[in-house]
C-alpha cells in the first residue's frame, strides 16, 4: 500500500566539499517516460511551466539479491529529499500545508535494485554439454556390471562397461541440455520482468526480429546486457490527486522510470545525478528509451583574477 509522506520536503543541495557537484561515475542512465494523452502542462508567458502542486506517496522499495550498504542505509524520506529539488526545478511544488484541496498530484515513489540474471550456472551447463560431447569433460567411469552367479567376468565385461559409460555420458548430455533449456526460460522471464519495470520493454519489442550483426541487433544485445545486470532504479508515478481523494479512481497522469547499473556504483553517490538527468522528462513523454552517460562530476571555478603581466625570464 502507498503511504503518504509525513512531511513537506524542502529543496536542498547535494554537494561535495568545496562546492563541487557530486560525481556520478560516468555510468549510463536509462530513462523511459510516458504521459497520458489528456495530460498537458500549461506554459506561462515567459515559457516556463505553470506550477503544479503535489504530495509524495511511498510506493516501497524492492530489495536486491545481496546486501548493499549504499542503498540499504537509506529510507524513503532520504530518497524523496533528493527528488524534491528536481521536481521543483520542473515547477512541481510540494503542498506546504498538506491541504488536499490544494493538491493536484500524488507522486508515488518506487525504488530499489533489480535482480539481474546470474549466468554462472547456465555457463557451467553449456560448458558441461560442450565438454561431454567433445569428450573433454573428466568423468569417473561407473563400476562394471556384476558378473552372473557362477561365472567369472569375461572379456565382454569391459565392452559392457564401455557401453554403460557411453550411456551414462549421454544421460549427462541430455540432463545438461535440459538444465540449459530451463535456465534459458527462467532468464527470459526475468528479463521481461525487469524490462517492464525499467521501461525497456517497448524498445526490446520493436527490435524483436533483429538478426545477425546489424546495428539494430547489436543495440538489442546492449539493452539485454543492461537489464541482465542488477540496476538501481526509481519509478515516479503521478496520479490525479482529486480523482483519487474524492472519487477513489486511480487516474495515472504520467510515469518516469530511470535506472543505472548497480555493479561498481554507489547508490548514495549516484542518486542526485541520476535524478537530475531524469528530471527533464518529468511529466513528459520520451517516446521510447533514453540512454545517456551521467556526468563524471563538476569542478566549480571561482572568479578569474588577473595577476598582471608576468615578466619573461
Amino acid at each position: 500500500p502507498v503511504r503518504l509522506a509525513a512531511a513537506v520536503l524542502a529543496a536542498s543541495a547535494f554537494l561535495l566539499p568545496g562546492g563541487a557537484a557530486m560525481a556520478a561515475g560516468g555510468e549510463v542512465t536509462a530513462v523511459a517516460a510516458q504521459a497520458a494523452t489528456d495530460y498537458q502542462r500549461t506554459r506561462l508567458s515567459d515559457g516556463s511551466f505553470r506550477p503544479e502542486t503535489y504530495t509524495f506517496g511511498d510506493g516501497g522499495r524492492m530489495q536486491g539479491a545481496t546486501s548493499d550498504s549504499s542503498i540499504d542505509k537509506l529510507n524513503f524520506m532520504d530518497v524523496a529529499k533528493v527528488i524534491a529539488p528536481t521536481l521543483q526545478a520542473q515547477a512541481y511544488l510540494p503542498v506546504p500545508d498538506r491541504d488536499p484541496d490544494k493538491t493536484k498530484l500524488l507522486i508515488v515513489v518506487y525504488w530499489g535494485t533489480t535482480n539481474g540474471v546470474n549466468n554462472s550456472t547456465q555457463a557451467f551447463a553449456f560448458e558441461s554439454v560442450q565438454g561431454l560431447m567433445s569428450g573433454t569433460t573428466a568423468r569417473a567411469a561407473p563400476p562394471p556390471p556384476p558378473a552372473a552367479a557362477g561365472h567369472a567376468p569375461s572379456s565382454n565385461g569391459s565392452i559392457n562397461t564401455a557401453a554403460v559409460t557411453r550411456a551414462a555420458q549421454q544421460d549427462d548430455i541430455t540432463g545438461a541440455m535440459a538444465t540449459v533449456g530451463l535456465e534459458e526460460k527462467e532468464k527470459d522471464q526475468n528479463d521481461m520482468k525487469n524490462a517492464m519495470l525499467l521501461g525497456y520493454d517497448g524498445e526490446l519489442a520493436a527490435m524483436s526480429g533483429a538478426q545477425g550483426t546489424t546495428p539494430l541487433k547489436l543495440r538489442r544485445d546492449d539493452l539485454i546486457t543492461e537489464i541482465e545486470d542488477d540496476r538501481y532504479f526509481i519509478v515516479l508515478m503521478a496520479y490525479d490527486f482529486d480523482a483519487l481523494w474524492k472519487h477513489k479512481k486511480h487516474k495515472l497522469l504520467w510515469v518516469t522510470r530511470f535506472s543505472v547499473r548497480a555493479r561498481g556504483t554507489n547508490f548514495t553517490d549516484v542518486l542526485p545525478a541520476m535524478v537530475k538527468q531524469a528530471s527533464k522528462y518529468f511529466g513528459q513523454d520520451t517516446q521510447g528509451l533514453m540512454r545517456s552517460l551521467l556526468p563524471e562530476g563538476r569542478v566549480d571555478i571561482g572568479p578569474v583574477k588577473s595577476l598582471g603581466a608576468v615578466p619573461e625570464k
Side-chain angles (χ1 to χ4, degrees):
V2 173
R3 301 191 302 275
L4 292 179
V8 176
L9 302 176
S12 54
F14 295 85
L15 301 175
L16 289 174
M22 184 172 293
E27 285 288 347
V28 171
T29 182
V31 184
Q34 294 175 300
T37 54
D38 60 348
Y39 177 77
Q40 187 70 38
R41 299 201 69 184
T42 303
R43 288 190 179 272
L44 301 176
S45 58
D46 62 358
S48 62
F49 288 120
R50 173 175 291 173
E52 296 182 15
T53 56
Y54 76 91
T55 187
F56 272 130
D58 180 1
R61 175 193 165 195
M62 189 168 88
Q63 183 77 34
T66 59
S67 61
D68 180 346
S69 61
S70 75
I71 190 172
D72 291 343
K73 65 184 180 182
L74 302 182
N75 57 36
F76 166 69
M77 293 300 293
D78 294 326
V79 175
K81 286 177 181 177
V82 179
I83 299 172
T86 62
L87 283 167
Q88 183 166 329
Q90 299 299 319
Y92 290 110
L93 307 179
V95 182
D97 52 6
R98 301 176 61 195
D99 184 347
D101 292 328
K102 298 178 182 178
T103 306
K104 179 176 176 60
L105 302 174
L106 169 65
I107 300 180
V108 183
V109 182
Y110 300 88
W111 59 294
T113 312
T114 61
N115 294 321
V117 176
N118 184 344
N119 287 316
S120 58
T121 303
Q122 186 181 52
F124 178 76
F126 274 115
E127 290 170 2
S128 296
V129 172
Q130 293 171 347
L132 287 165
M133 293 182 73
S134 63
T136 58
T137 301
R139 185 182 187 281
H151 295 277
S154 66
S155 60
N156 290 335
S158 61
I159 297 175
N160 290 338
T161 299
V164 171
T165 301
R166 286 195 299 272
Q169 287 177 328
Q170 185 59 46
D171 287 343
D172 282 349
I173 293 172
T174 303
M177 292 179 70
T179 300
V180 169
L182 179 61
E183 291 176 353
E184 189 70 21
K185 182 178 180 180
E186 292 176 348
K187 180 181 75 69
D188 289 344
Q189 291 175 342
N190 194 74
D191 285 351
M192 180 53 64
K193 179 185 71 174
N194 287 338
M196 294 176 68
L197 174 63
L198 301 173
Y200 282 65
D201 51 324
E203 200 87 355
L204 289 173
M207 303 176 183
S208 59
Q211 299 293 332
T213 57
T214 62
L216 201 63
K217 177 62 164 58
L218 295 175
R219 175 170 168 78
R220 186 176 189 277
D221 290 344
D222 286 343
L223 297 181
I224 290 291
T225 298
E226 288 182 16
I227 63 174
E228 289 185 351
D229 268 330
D230 294 351
R231 294 183 71 82
Y232 297 131
F233 73 90
I234 294 176
V235 179
L236 303 183
M237 304 186 78
Y239 292 90
D240 184 318
F241 188 87
D242 190 64
L244 185 63
W245 182 261
K246 296 180 179 178
H247 308 290
K248 310 301 180 186
K249 292 183 178 180
H250 292 74
K251 184 178 180 181
L252 183 62
L253 299 179
W254 57 265
V255 56
T256 304
R257 307 169 188 272
F258 48 104
S259 63
V260 68
R261 185 177 64 169
R263 178 162 48 94
T265 307
N266 182 292
F267 181 74
T268 304
D269 289 348
V270 81
L271 178 59
M274 67 183 288
V275 172
K276 183 178 180 181
Q277 192 87 340
S279 65
K280 67 185 76 171
Y281 304 111
F282 291 167
Q284 307 298 311
D285 198 317
T286 57
Q287 303 294 328
L289 188 69
M290 309 295 291
R291 295 161 70 241
S292 58
L293 280 173
L294 288 175
E296 292 283 354
R298 187 184 75 240
V299 176
D300 290 338
I301 302 175
V304 177
K305 298 180 180 179
S306 173
L307 299 180
V310 178
E312 294 184 0
K313 293 184 179 181

